[in-house]
């Protein structure tokens, strides 16, 4: 079957490690299902994998892709929850030390078929297209958990979303706005700032800008490039929720600011199956649809990866096998 996969790892030139070509059909173990993806969506995670972050050489070749919506062997329309917990684990999947997400230990979704544990299949609501549903299980689920579970953001609160153009950031903007939160964003690009305002952001600023007032919660996915601004933008007692660090993981910690202003730094990763269920319902109830930057056939996956790498993307790129 056709697949987009990591044939190699290349920290500085991730696209040189990408192949689009034939891979063997999945051989699902007991308790797993085979899904035929109708749509899959790209995440920054797929670039990290090609760079060798979270993926080791002994697991190659590895089909990439965490997200998919498709049809199972019985013809049911499903969304794939990408967090694979160990069979013996009881409790929240995201806290299982042995968890992985699809394409780390198990072959991913950028293929004509993918095997996943049956418990990871969530019914796809008829209101969402396959492309829309395929955008939700990583970036949108991560945003949902950052906002409502880890950030405990209340309606009427003000949040700052750094790096507004990203997949997680656009989801934070739309979900926050729909939940009655005042959403401020930063972005390096004027076009992405305008788009964020169209998505429901209340105000958009250049990176590092002085804000009209300090905010309750900052949503961080950018890391080193924005971290100092994130800490400076918080009210005393405020919280920064961090799920990623695209520009680097080791900014100055500014511990004096953290203890003196009693700031909280809260980590967040993916989300549970139950949160994915709730996210789907929230999207339908509020009429929310993910912003799709482009829909590209799987055969042209290289161009899609290049666009993500160049950073000229607003919202999600969808691949159709
Ligand atoms: N922990 C988890 O479960 C989890 C889940 C999903 C994602 N993540 C991580 O979160 C990060 C974002 O993921 P994504 O899929 O949303 O990525 P993405 O779509 O590629 O977005 C990245 C955004 O970061 C901003 N950015 C990148 N480099 C920057 C720099 N040097 N300076 C300032 N801003 C920069 C850009 O915003 P502007 O161009 O608008 O400035 C860009 O739109 C990634 O590192 C990813 O691995 C983690």
């Amino acid at each position: 079957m056709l697949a987009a996969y990591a044939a190699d790892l290349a920290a500085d030139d991730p696209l040189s490690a990408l192949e689009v070509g034939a891979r063997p059909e999945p051989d699902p173990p007991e308790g797993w299902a085979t899904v035929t993806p109708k749509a899959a969506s790209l995440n920054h995670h797929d670039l990290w994998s090609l760079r060798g972050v979270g993926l080791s050489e002994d697991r190659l070749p590895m089909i990439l892709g965490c997200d998919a919506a498709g049809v199972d062997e019985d013809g049911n329309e499903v969304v794939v929850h990408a967090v694979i917990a160990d069979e013996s684990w009881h409790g929240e999947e995201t806290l299982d030390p042995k968890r992985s997400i699809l394409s780390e230990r198990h072959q991913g979704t950028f293929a004509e078929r993918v095997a996943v544990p049956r418990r990871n299949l969530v019914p796809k609501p008829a209101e969402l297209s396959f492309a829309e549903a395929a955008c939700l299980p990583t970036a949108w689920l991560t945003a949902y958990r950052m906002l409502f579970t880890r950030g405990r953001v209340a309606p009427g609160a003000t949040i700052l979303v750094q790096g507004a153009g990203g997949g997680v950031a656009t989801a934070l903007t739309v979900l926050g706005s729909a939940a009655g939160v005042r959403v401020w964003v930063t972005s390096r690009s004027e076009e992405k700032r305008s788009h964020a305002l169209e998505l429901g952001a209340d105000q958009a600023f250049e990176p590092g800008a002085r804000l009209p007032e300090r905010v309750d919660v900052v949503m961080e996915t950018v890391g080193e490039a924005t971290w100092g601004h994130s800490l400076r933008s918080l009210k005393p007692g405020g919280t920064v929720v961090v799920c990623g660090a695209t520009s680097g993981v080791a900014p100055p910690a500014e511990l004096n600011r953290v203890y003196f202003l009693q700031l909280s730094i809260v980590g967040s990763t993916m989300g549970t199956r139950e949160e994915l269920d709730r996210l789907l319902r929230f999207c339908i109830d509020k009429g929310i649809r993910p912003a799709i930057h482009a829909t590209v056939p799987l055969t042209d996956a290289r161009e899609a990866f290049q666009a993500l790498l160049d950073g000229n993307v607003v919202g999600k790129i969808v691949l159709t096998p």
Side-chain angles (χ1 to χ4, degrees):
M1 63 175 183
L2 183 69
Y5 61 98
D8 196 1
L9 304 174
D12 297 327
D13 181 14
L15 262 64
S16 68
L18 176 71
E19 292 286 344
V20 181
R23 294 298 305 145
E25 290 284 340
D27 182 17
E30 182 76 27
W32 288 49
T34 300
V35 173
T36 302
K38 299 285 185 195
S41 81
L42 245 70
N43 291 288
H44 211 97
H45 182 272
D46 303 305
L47 285 173
W48 289 126
S49 300
L50 290 167
R51 292 185 195 275
V53 178
L55 181 62
S56 52
E57 212 144 302
D58 55 307
R59 296 193 191 132
L60 299 178
M62 176 62 78
I63 299 174
L64 298 166
C66 309
D67 293 348
V71 178
D72 72 7
E73 308 99 326
D74 302 322
N76 302 307
E77 296 189 351
V78 293
V79 186
V80 173
H81 179 223
V83 182
I84 314 290
D86 193 77
E87 254 174 53
S88 62
W89 177 256
H90 298 287
E92 248 193 43
E93 307 88 293
T94 59
L95 298 177
D96 175 4
K98 291 192 196 149
R99 77 181 183 280
S100 66
I101 61 178
L102 278 175
S103 79
E104 289 179 344
R105 260 178 238 154
H106 306 286
Q107 301 291 324
T109 57
F110 297 163
E112 289 176 289
R113 273 156 300 277
V114 58
V116 293
R118 199 164 282 286
R119 64 175 184 271
N120 283 58
L121 300 184
V122 177
K124 181 186 84 63
E127 292 90 335
L128 296 176
S129 69
F130 283 107
E132 288 163 347
C135 294
L136 301 177
T138 295
W140 280 69
L141 180 60
T142 301
Y144 182 93
R145 185 173 173 87
M146 288 174 83
L147 271 169
F148 303 121
T149 310
R150 304 292 291 154
R152 298 169 187 263
V153 176
T158 304
I159 65 167
L160 177 68
V161 178
Q162 301 279 22
V168 177
T170 49
L172 284 164
T173 301
V174 176
L175 293 174
S177 165
V181 173
R182 187 161 68 154
V183 180
W184 293 352
V185 302
T186 68
S187 173
R188 296 165 299 174
S189 122
E190 168 57 38
E191 191 194 341
K192 291 182 188 177
R193 290 196 293 272
S194 310
H195 191 253
L197 294 171
E198 282 165 27
L199 290 179
D202 294 277
Q203 292 195 62
F205 303 90
E206 291 188 5
R210 191 184 173 87
L211 303 178
E213 61 187 69
R214 293 201 157 87
V215 304
D216 298 290
V217 183
V218 178
M219 298 294 168
E220 252 299 347
T221 63
V222 179
E224 272 180 27
T226 50
W227 185 253
H229 182 245
S230 293
L231 295 186
R232 286 196 304 281
S233 299
L234 279 175
K235 282 180 186 165
T239 302
V240 52
V241 184
V242 54
C243 85
T246 305
S247 64
V249 292
E254 300 193 41
L255 294 176
N256 52 343
R257 198 175 283 279
V258 173
Y259 63 70
F260 193 68
L261 296 175
Q262 303 188 66
L263 306 179
S264 300
I265 298 172
V266 171
S268 195
T269 279
M270 297 294 285
T272 62
R273 186 191 188 284
E274 197 185 343
E275 285 167 330
L276 179 56
D277 240 344
R278 277 193 254 138
L279 166 64
L280 292 166
R281 209 171 326 124
F282 188 67
C283 287
I284 290 160
D285 288 351
K286 297 287 179 188
I288 292 171
R289 298 294 179 270
I292 296 177
H293 177 85
T295 302
V296 176
L298 180 59
T299 40
D300 297 337
R302 183 172 294 281
E303 283 152 44
F305 273 80
Q306 185 69 56
L308 194 67
L309 184 64
D310 294 342
N312 301 324
V313 174
V314 180
K316 300 283 289 169
I317 301 182
V318 172
L319 293 177
T320 48

